[in-house]
Amino acid sequence: MKNILVPTDFSKNCKKAEELGIEMAKLYNSEIHFFHLINTPVNWVDLGKEKEKRYPETVKEIGSARADLRALELKAEREGLECRTFLEFDGGQANILQHSGHFHHDFIVTGSSGTHGGVRELLGSNVEKIVRKADVPVIVVKNKEISFPFKDIVFVSDFLEDVSEAFKMVISLATKCGAHIHLLRVNTQTDFNSIDRGLKPIKKFLENFPELEKYSMNVYNEPAVETGINNFLKYKNADLIAMCTHGSTGFLSLFSKSIAEGVTNHSELPVMTIKL
């Protein structure tokens, strides 16, 4: 991991994401970029200095954002990290993803408002759309205080589709953190079966990773995937939930769009998604 992007609007959960981004950059010895987007009432880029005075509130907001970005830059540099900050005007999710693609980021860490209702707007864009369309892994930070380095990572899949490449990224993070990986399959009403039968695809999947040592296999029979994850978390500690996505076509077959959004929206834990 050479380059981490942290889009931020300086809200409470984005500040948690900023902290996590810095800690992950230290762990991987990678560069970190902080990105902030401001929606302006006019085309600010082509606006002359004299005309800027017509919009004192926007001028004030820009000045505050620059100060906040500078503070983040200094904080990262004090940790010995290479850091760049970016302030852009107008736009939404496309700006963040275009920015990430241009700089070839390996990872995106961002905050979302809490667990009540849907994922709120971040920097003029929907976090769920960033998760779905980003070509790199995304960690969405929520309400719960982050425990890092992660010690317990839950990787959720039906393990019927080949998710080996995505799982390699989970292993990389777990190895760096010294974390235990809990592989979780949730059998819903459409595919209830015995626990032994449910374990078979996990065991088959793990044949590709004979070197993996710190892991457990878990199968839950539940009426819904999100219920299974929540019930698993009642009895097992976890610091991060990891899932896969097919990008524009939606999440893996295990996850309908609504289920995937439900997990990302309602989990108090950070959620990591990896596009296949």
Side-chain angles (χ1 to χ4, degrees), residues 64-120:
S64 176
R66 285 176 173 155
D68 287 339
L69 287 171
R70 179 57 179 159
L72 284 172
E73 184 177 28
L74 291 173
K75 185 173 184 178
E77 289 175 349
R78 284 195 296 269
E79 296 291 345
L81 298 173
E82 290 188 32
C83 177
R84 297 182 67 180
T85 61
F86 300 86
L87 180 63
E88 292 194 9
F89 306 104
D90 282 327
Q93 161 230 344
N95 293 63
I96 296 173
L97 297 180
Q98 287 170 7
H99 177 87
S100 179
H102 178 75
F103 285 94
H104 305 290
H105 293 110
D106 300 304
F107 220 99
I108 298 175
V109 182
T110 191
S112 169
S113 64
T115 58
H116 305 293
V119 170
R120 307 296 201 276

Side-chain angles (χ1 to χ4, degrees), residues 13-44:
N13 284 354
C14 279
K15 288 185 181 298
K16 294 179 188 175
E18 295 162 6
E19 294 281 353
L20 177 58
I22 287 174
E23 291 302 315
M24 289 182 65
K26 287 165 59 179
L27 193 66
Y28 281 91
N29 193 28
S30 62
E31 188 172 319
I32 188 167
H33 292 182
F34 295 102
F35 176 97
H36 181 70
L37 181 70
I38 292 180
N39 290 314
T40 54
V42 293
N43 183 350
W44 202 263

Side-chain angles (χ1 to χ4, degrees), residues 6 49 63 115 128 139 155 237 250 256-257 273:
V6 183
K49 289 293 182 182
T115 58
E128 191 273 337
I139 290 183
F155 181 70
N237 292 325
S256 70
K257 180 175 180 290
T273 54

Side-chain angles (χ1 to χ4, degrees), residues 1-273:
M1 193 185 301
K2 298 179 180 179
N3 197 327
I4 297 174
L5 173 65
V6 183
T8 180
D9 59 8
F10 311 116
S11 61
K12 180 180 178 181
N13 284 354
C14 279
K15 288 185 181 298
K16 294 179 188 175
E18 295 162 6
E19 294 281 353
L20 177 58
I22 287 174
E23 291 302 315
M24 289 182 65
K26 287 165 59 179
L27 193 66
Y28 281 91
N29 193 28
S30 62
E31 188 172 319
I32 188 167
H33 292 182
F34 295 102
F35 176 97
H36 181 70
L37 181 70
I38 292 180
N39 290 314
T40 54
V42 293
N43 183 350
W44 202 263
V45 175
D46 297 330
L47 195 68
K49 289 293 182 182
E50 286 300 316
K51 292 183 179 179
E52 287 180 4
K53 297 177 181 178
R54 300 175 185 175
Y55 307 94
E57 290 301 317
T58 302
V59 171
K60 182 179 178 181
E61 183 182 1
I62 291 171
S64 176
R66 285 176 173 155
D68 287 339
L69 287 171
R70 179 57 179 159
L72 284 172
E73 184 177 28
L74 291 173
K75 185 173 184 178
E77 289 175 349
R78 284 195 296 269
E79 296 291 345
L81 298 173
E82 290 188 32
C83 177
R84 297 182 67 180
T85 61
F86 300 86
L87 180 63
E88 292 194 9
F89 306 104
D90 282 327
Q93 161 230 344
N95 293 63
I96 296 173
L97 297 180
Q98 287 170 7
H99 177 87
S100 179
H102 178 75
F103 285 94
H104 305 290
H105 293 110
D106 300 304
F107 220 99
I108 298 175
V109 182
T110 191
S112 169
S113 64
T115 58
H116 305 293
V119 170
R120 307 296 201 276
E121 296 280 308
L122 167 71
L123 316 175
S125 63
N126 187 282
V127 172
E128 191 273 337
K129 290 181 180 178
I130 296 173
V131 165
R132 180 181 296 178
K133 294 184 178 181
D135 291 327
V136 298
V138 179
I139 290 183
V140 179
V141 175
K142 306 300 287 299
N143 283 354
K144 193 168 183 177
E145 291 301 319
I146 300 168
S147 177
F148 191 84
F150 302 125
K151 294 304 178 186
D152 291 275
I153 299 173
V154 182
F155 181 70
V156 189
S157 175
D158 58 11
F159 300 98
L160 298 177
E161 186 170 356
D162 186 7
V163 293
S164 297
E165 291 303 312
F167 191 59
K168 288 176 183 177
M169 297 181 185
V170 177
I171 291 176
S172 171
L173 183 58
T175 301
K176 282 284 188 180
C177 293
H180 186 103
I181 302 175
H182 303 273
L183 296 95
L184 175 63
R185 172 185 165 92
V186 181
N187 292 328
T188 62
Q189 291 176 333
T190 58
D191 60 359
F192 263 31
N193 56 40
S194 70
I195 298 301
D196 285 341
R197 287 181 61 189
L199 285 172
K200 283 183 179 180
I202 304 179
K203 291 178 179 178
K204 182 69 175 177
F205 174 73
L206 286 174
E207 290 177 3
N208 299 317
F209 303 95
E211 75 286 354
L212 187 64
E213 295 181 353
K214 298 179 69 173
Y215 71 91
S216 66
M217 298 181 291
N218 306 270
V219 177
Y220 273 52
N221 285 320
E222 298 287 354
V225 173
E226 190 175 351
T227 304
I229 295 172
N230 290 337
N231 285 337
F232 174 82
L233 294 174
K234 287 180 182 178
Y235 303 100
K236 299 288 180 67
N237 292 325
D239 308 308
L240 178 72
I241 299 171
M243 301 186 298
C244 299
T245 172
H246 276 306
S248 59
T249 60
F251 284 68
L252 286 177
S253 57
L254 174 64
F255 304 104
S256 70
K257 180 175 180 290
S258 59
I259 292 172
E261 287 182 355
V263 174
T264 306
N265 290 357
H266 301 136
S267 169
E268 292 187 355
L269 290 173
V271 177
M272 172 180 171
T273 54

